[in-house]
Coordinates of all heavy atoms in Angstrom, one line a residue:
Q180 N 9.9 -4.6 22.0 CA 8.9 -5.1 23.0 C 8.6 -6.6 22.7 O 8.4 -7.4 23.7 CB 7.6 -4.3 22.9 CG 6.6 -4.7 24.0 CD 6.9 -4.3 25.4 OE1 8.1 -3.9 25.7 NE2 5.9 -4.3 26.3
Y181 N 8.5 -7.0 21.5 CA 8.3 -8.4 21.1 C 9.4 -9.3 21.7 O 9.1 -10.3 22.4 CB 8.2 -8.6 19.6 CG 7.9 -10.0 19.2 CD1 6.6 -10.5 19.1 CD2 8.9 -10.9 18.9 CE1 6.3 -11.8 18.7 CE2 8.7 -12.2 18.5 CZ 7.3 -12.6 18.4 OH 7.1 -13.9 18.0
K182 N 10.6 -8.9 21.5 CA 11.8 -9.6 21.9 C 11.8 -9.7 23.5 O 12.1 -10.8 24.0 CB 13.0 -8.9 21.5 CG 14.3 -9.7 21.6 CD 15.4 -9.0 20.7 CE 15.7 -7.6 21.0 NZ 16.2 -7.4 22.4
R183 N 11.4 -8.6 24.1 CA 11.4 -8.6 25.6 C 10.4 -9.6 26.2 O 10.7 -10.3 27.1 CB 11.1 -7.2 26.0 CG 11.1 -6.9 27.5 CD 10.6 -5.5 27.6 NE 10.6 -5.0 28.9 CZ 10.0 -3.9 29.4 NH1 9.3 -3.2 28.5 NH2 10.1 -3.5 30.6
I184 N 9.2 -9.6 25.6 CA 8.1 -10.5 26.1 C 8.4 -11.9 25.8 O 8.3 -12.8 26.6 CB 6.8 -10.0 25.6 CG1 6.4 -8.6 26.0 CG2 5.7 -11.0 26.0 CD1 5.1 -8.1 25.5
K185 N 8.8 -12.2 24.5 CA 9.0 -13.6 24.1 C 10.3 -14.2 24.5 O 10.5 -15.4 24.4 CB 8.9 -13.7 22.5 CG 7.5 -13.3 22.0 CD 6.5 -14.5 22.2 CE 5.4 -14.3 21.3 NZ 4.4 -15.4 21.3
D186 N 11.3 -13.3 24.8 CA 12.6 -13.8 25.2 C 13.2 -14.6 24.1 O 13.8 -15.7 24.3 CB 12.6 -14.6 26.5 CG 13.9 -14.7 27.1 OD1 14.8 -13.8 26.8 OD2 14.1 -15.6 28.0
V187 N 13.1 -14.1 22.8 CA 13.7 -14.8 21.7 C 14.1 -13.8 20.6 O 13.4 -12.8 20.5 CB 12.6 -15.8 21.1 CG1 11.4 -15.2 20.6 CG2 13.2 -16.7 20.0
Y188 N 15.2 -14.0 20.0 CA 15.6 -13.1 18.9 C 15.0 -13.7 17.6 O 15.6 -14.5 16.9 CB 17.1 -12.9 18.8 CG 17.4 -11.7 17.9 CD1 17.7 -10.5 18.6 CD2 17.3 -11.7 16.6 CE1 17.9 -9.4 17.8 CE2 17.5 -10.6 15.8 CZ 17.8 -9.4 16.5 OH 18.1 -8.2 15.7
E189 N 13.8 -13.3 17.2 CA 13.1 -13.8 16.1 C 13.0 -12.7 15.0 O 12.0 -12.0 14.8 CB 11.7 -14.2 16.6 CG 10.9 -15.1 15.7 CD 9.5 -15.4 16.2 OE1 9.3 -15.4 17.5 OE2 8.6 -15.6 15.4
G190 N 14.2 -12.5 14.3 CA 14.3 -11.4 13.4 C 13.2 -11.3 12.4 O 12.7 -10.2 12.1
G191 N 12.7 -12.5 11.8 CA 11.7 -12.5 10.8 C 10.3 -12.2 11.2 O 9.4 -12.4 10.4
V192 N 10.1 -11.8 12.5 CA 8.7 -11.6 13.0 C 8.1 -10.3 12.5 O 6.9 -10.1 12.5 CB 8.7 -11.7 14.5 CG1 9.3 -10.5 15.2 CG2 7.2 -11.9 15.0
I193 N 9.0 -9.4 12.1 CA 8.5 -8.1 11.7 C 9.5 -7.6 10.6 O 10.7 -7.8 10.7 CB 8.3 -7.1 12.9 CG1 7.5 -5.9 12.5 CG2 9.7 -6.7 13.5 CD1 7.0 -5.1 13.7
T194 N 9.0 -6.8 9.6 CA 10.0 -6.3 8.6 C 9.9 -4.8 8.5 O 9.0 -4.2 9.1 CB 9.7 -6.9 7.2 OG1 8.3 -6.6 6.9 CG2 9.9 -8.4 7.2
G195 N 10.9 -4.2 7.9 CA 11.1 -2.8 7.9 C 12.0 -2.4 9.1 O 12.0 -1.2 9.5
K196 N 12.8 -3.4 9.5 CA 13.6 -3.1 10.7 C 14.8 -2.2 10.3 O 15.2 -2.2 9.1 CB 14.2 -4.5 11.2 CG 13.1 -5.4 11.7 CD 13.7 -6.7 12.3 CE 14.3 -7.6 11.4 NZ 13.4 -8.2 10.3
G197 N 15.4 -1.6 11.3 CA 16.6 -0.8 11.0 C 17.8 -1.7 10.6 O 17.8 -2.9 10.9
L198 N 18.7 -1.1 9.9 CA 19.8 -2.0 9.3 C 20.7 -2.5 10.4 O 21.4 -3.5 10.2 CB 20.7 -1.1 8.3 CG 19.9 -0.7 7.1 CD1 20.8 0.2 6.2 CD2 19.5 -1.9 6.3
S199 N 20.7 -1.9 11.6 CA 21.6 -2.3 12.7 C 21.1 -3.6 13.4 O 21.9 -4.2 14.1 CB 21.8 -1.2 13.7 OG 20.5 -0.9 14.2
Y200 N 19.9 -4.0 13.1 CA 19.4 -5.2 13.9 C 18.6 -6.1 13.0 O 17.6 -6.7 13.4 CB 18.7 -4.8 15.1 CG 17.4 -4.0 14.9 CD1 16.2 -4.6 14.9 CD2 17.4 -2.6 14.7 CE1 15.0 -3.9 14.6 CE2 16.3 -1.9 14.5 CZ 15.1 -2.6 14.4 OH 13.9 -1.8 14.2
G201 N 19.0 -6.2 11.7 CA 18.3 -7.3 10.9 C 17.4 -6.7 9.8 O 16.7 -7.5 9.1
G202 N 17.5 -5.4 9.5 CA 16.7 -4.9 8.4 C 17.4 -5.2 7.1 O 18.6 -5.6 7.1
S203 N 16.7 -5.0 6.0 CA 17.3 -5.2 4.6 C 17.6 -3.9 4.0 O 16.8 -3.0 4.0 CB 16.3 -6.0 3.8 OG 16.8 -6.1 2.5
L204 N 18.7 -3.9 3.3 CA 18.9 -2.7 2.4 C 17.8 -2.7 1.3 O 17.2 -3.7 1.0 CB 20.3 -2.9 1.7 CG 21.5 -2.6 2.6 CD1 22.8 -3.2 2.0 CD2 21.7 -1.2 2.9
V205 N 17.5 -1.5 0.9 CA 16.4 -1.3 -0.1 C 15.0 -1.4 0.4 O 14.1 -1.0 -0.3 CB 16.6 -2.2 -1.4 CG1 15.7 -1.6 -2.6 CG2 18.0 -2.3 -1.9
R206 N 14.8 -1.9 1.6 CA 13.4 -2.0 2.1 C 12.8 -0.6 2.2 O 11.6 -0.4 1.8 CB 13.3 -2.7 3.5 CG 11.9 -2.7 4.0 CD 10.9 -3.4 3.1 NE 9.5 -3.3 3.4 CZ 8.7 -2.4 3.0 NH1 9.1 -1.4 2.2 NH2 7.4 -2.4 3.3
K207 N 13.5 0.4 2.7 CA 13.0 1.7 2.8 C 12.6 2.3 1.5 O 11.6 3.0 1.3 CB 14.1 2.6 3.5 CG 13.6 4.0 3.8 CD 14.7 4.8 4.6 CE 15.9 5.1 3.8 NZ 16.9 5.9 4.5
E208 N 13.4 2.1 0.5 CA 13.2 2.6 -0.9 C 12.2 1.8 -1.7 O 11.7 2.3 -2.7 CB 14.5 2.7 -1.7 CG 15.6 3.6 -1.1 CD 16.4 3.0 0.0 OE1 16.1 1.8 0.4 OE2 17.4 3.6 0.5
A209 N 11.9 0.6 -1.3 CA 11.3 -0.5 -2.2 C 10.0 -0.1 -2.8 O 9.8 -0.3 -4.0 CB 11.2 -1.8 -1.4
T210 N 9.1 0.4 -2.0 CA 7.7 0.7 -2.6 C 7.8 1.7 -3.7 O 7.3 1.6 -4.8 CB 6.7 1.0 -1.5 OG1 6.8 0.1 -0.4 CG2 5.3 1.0 -2.0
G211 N 8.5 2.8 -3.4 CA 8.6 3.9 -4.3 C 9.4 3.5 -5.5 O 9.0 3.8 -6.7
F212 N 10.6 2.9 -5.3 CA 11.4 2.4 -6.5 C 10.5 1.4 -7.3 O 10.5 1.5 -8.5 CB 12.6 1.7 -6.0 CG 13.8 2.5 -5.6 CD1 13.6 3.9 -5.3 CD2 15.1 2.0 -5.5 CE1 14.7 4.7 -4.9 CE2 16.2 2.8 -5.1 CZ 16.0 4.1 -4.8
G213 N 9.9 0.5 -6.7 CA 9.1 -0.5 -7.4 C 8.0 0.1 -8.2 O 7.8 -0.3 -9.4
L214 N 7.4 1.1 -7.7 CA 6.3 1.8 -8.4 C 6.9 2.4 -9.7 O 6.3 2.3 -10.8 CB 5.8 3.0 -7.6 CG 4.8 3.9 -8.2 CD1 3.5 3.3 -8.6 CD2 4.5 5.1 -7.3
I215 N 8.1 2.9 -9.7 CA 8.7 3.5 -10.9 C 9.2 2.4 -11.8 O 9.1 2.6 -13.0 CB 9.8 4.5 -10.5 CG1 9.3 5.6 -9.6 CG2 10.5 5.1 -11.7 CD1 8.2 6.5 -10.2
Y216 N 9.7 1.3 -11.3 CA 10.0 0.2 -12.2 C 8.8 -0.3 -12.9 O 8.9 -0.6 -14.1 CB 10.7 -1.0 -11.4 CG 12.0 -0.7 -10.7 CD1 12.4 -1.3 -9.5 CD2 12.8 0.3 -11.2 CE1 13.6 -1.1 -8.9 CE2 14.0 0.6 -10.6 CZ 14.4 -0.1 -9.4 OH 15.6 0.2 -8.8
F217 N 7.7 -0.4 -12.2 CA 6.4 -0.8 -12.9 C 6.1 0.2 -14.0 O 5.7 -0.2 -15.1 CB 5.3 -1.0 -11.9 CG 4.1 -1.7 -12.5 CD1 3.8 -3.0 -12.2 CD2 3.2 -1.0 -13.3 CE1 2.7 -3.6 -12.7 CE2 2.1 -1.6 -13.8 CZ 1.8 -2.9 -13.5
M218 N 6.1 1.5 -13.6 CA 5.7 2.5 -14.6 C 6.6 2.5 -15.8 O 6.2 2.6 -16.9 CB 5.8 3.9 -13.8 CG 5.5 5.1 -14.7 SD 3.8 5.2 -15.3 CE 2.9 5.5 -13.9
R219 N 7.9 2.3 -15.6 CA 8.9 2.2 -16.7 C 8.5 1.1 -17.7 O 8.4 1.3 -18.9 CB 10.3 1.9 -16.1 CG 11.4 1.7 -17.1 CD 12.6 1.0 -16.5 NE 12.3 -0.3 -16.1 CZ 12.9 -1.1 -15.1 NH1 13.9 -0.5 -14.4 NH2 12.5 -2.3 -14.9
E220 N 8.1 -0.1 -17.1 CA 7.7 -1.2 -18.0 C 6.4 -0.9 -18.7 O 6.3 -1.2 -19.9 CB 7.5 -2.5 -17.1 CG 8.8 -3.0 -16.5 CD 9.9 -3.3 -17.5 OE1 9.6 -4.1 -18.4 OE2 10.9 -2.7 -17.4
M221 N 5.4 -0.3 -18.0 CA 4.1 0.0 -18.6 C 4.3 1.0 -19.8 O 3.7 0.9 -20.8 CB 3.2 0.5 -17.5 CG 1.8 0.8 -18.0 SD 0.6 1.1 -16.7 CE 1.0 2.8 -16.3
L222 N 5.1 2.0 -19.5 CA 5.4 3.1 -20.6 C 6.1 2.4 -21.8 O 5.8 2.7 -22.9 CB 6.2 4.2 -20.0 CG 5.5 5.1 -19.0 CD1 6.5 6.2 -18.4 CD2 4.3 5.8 -19.6
K223 N 7.1 1.6 -21.5 CA 7.9 1.0 -22.5 C 7.0 0.1 -23.4 O 7.0 0.2 -24.6 CB 9.0 0.1 -21.9 CG 10.1 -0.4 -22.9 CD 11.3 -0.9 -22.1 CE 11.0 -2.1 -21.3 NZ 12.2 -2.6 -20.6
Y224 N 6.1 -0.7 -22.8 CA 5.3 -1.6 -23.5 C 4.2 -0.8 -24.3 O 3.8 -1.2 -25.4 CB 4.6 -2.6 -22.6 CG 3.8 -3.6 -23.3 CD1 4.4 -4.6 -24.0 CD2 2.4 -3.5 -23.3 CE1 3.7 -5.5 -24.8 CE2 1.7 -4.4 -24.1 CZ 2.3 -5.4 -24.7 OH 1.6 -6.4 -25.5
N225 N 3.8 0.4 -23.9 CA 2.7 1.1 -24.5 C 3.4 2.3 -25.3 O 3.6 3.4 -24.8 CB 1.7 1.6 -23.5 CG 0.8 0.5 -23.0 OD1 -0.1 0.2 -23.6 ND2 1.2 0.0 -21.8
G226 N 3.8 2.0 -26.5 CA 4.3 3.1 -27.4 C 5.8 3.4 -27.1 O 6.2 4.5 -27.5
N227 N 6.5 2.5 -26.5 CA 7.9 2.7 -26.3 C 8.3 4.0 -25.7 O 9.2 4.7 -26.1 CB 8.7 2.5 -27.6 CG 10.1 2.0 -27.4 OD1 10.5 1.6 -26.3 ND2 10.9 2.1 -28.4
Q228 N 7.5 4.4 -24.7 CA 7.7 5.7 -24.0 C 8.6 5.5 -22.8 O 8.9 4.4 -22.4 CB 6.4 6.2 -23.5 CG 5.3 6.4 -24.6 CD 4.0 6.9 -24.0 OE1 3.9 8.1 -23.7 NE2 3.1 6.0 -23.8
S229 N 9.1 6.6 -22.3 CA 10.0 6.5 -21.1 C 9.7 7.6 -20.1 O 8.9 8.6 -20.5 CB 11.4 6.5 -21.4 OG 11.9 7.8 -21.7
L230 N 10.2 7.6 -18.9 CA 10.0 8.6 -17.9 C 10.8 9.9 -18.3 O 10.5 11.0 -17.8 CB 10.4 8.2 -16.5 CG 9.3 7.3 -15.9 CD1 9.8 6.1 -15.3 CD2 8.6 8.1 -14.8
K231 N 11.8 9.7 -19.1 CA 12.7 10.8 -19.4 C 12.0 12.0 -19.9 O 11.2 11.9 -20.9 CB 13.8 10.4 -20.3 CG 15.0 11.3 -20.4 CD 16.1 10.6 -21.2 CE 17.3 11.5 -21.6 NZ 17.8 12.3 -20.5

Side-chain angles (χ1 to χ4, degrees):
Q180 182 74 346
Y181 182 86
K182 193 162 59 62
R183 181 186 186 195
I184 296 174
K185 294 280 198 179
D186 200 19
V187 60
Y188 197 98
E189 197 181 327
V192 72
I193 194 161
T194 58
K196 298 184 290 298
L198 294 176
S199 59
Y200 64 96
S203 172
L204 286 164
V205 196
R206 176 59 190 90
K207 186 171 69 173
E208 294 85 355
T210 311
F212 278 19
L214 171 66
I215 301 300
Y216 295 153
F217 189 104
M218 178 62 70
R219 181 197 63 205
E220 294 304 302
M221 186 171 77
L222 291 175
K223 193 163 66 183
Y224 184 74
N225 288 277
N227 206 15
Q228 306 179 76
S229 79
L230 278 132
K231 197 169 168 49

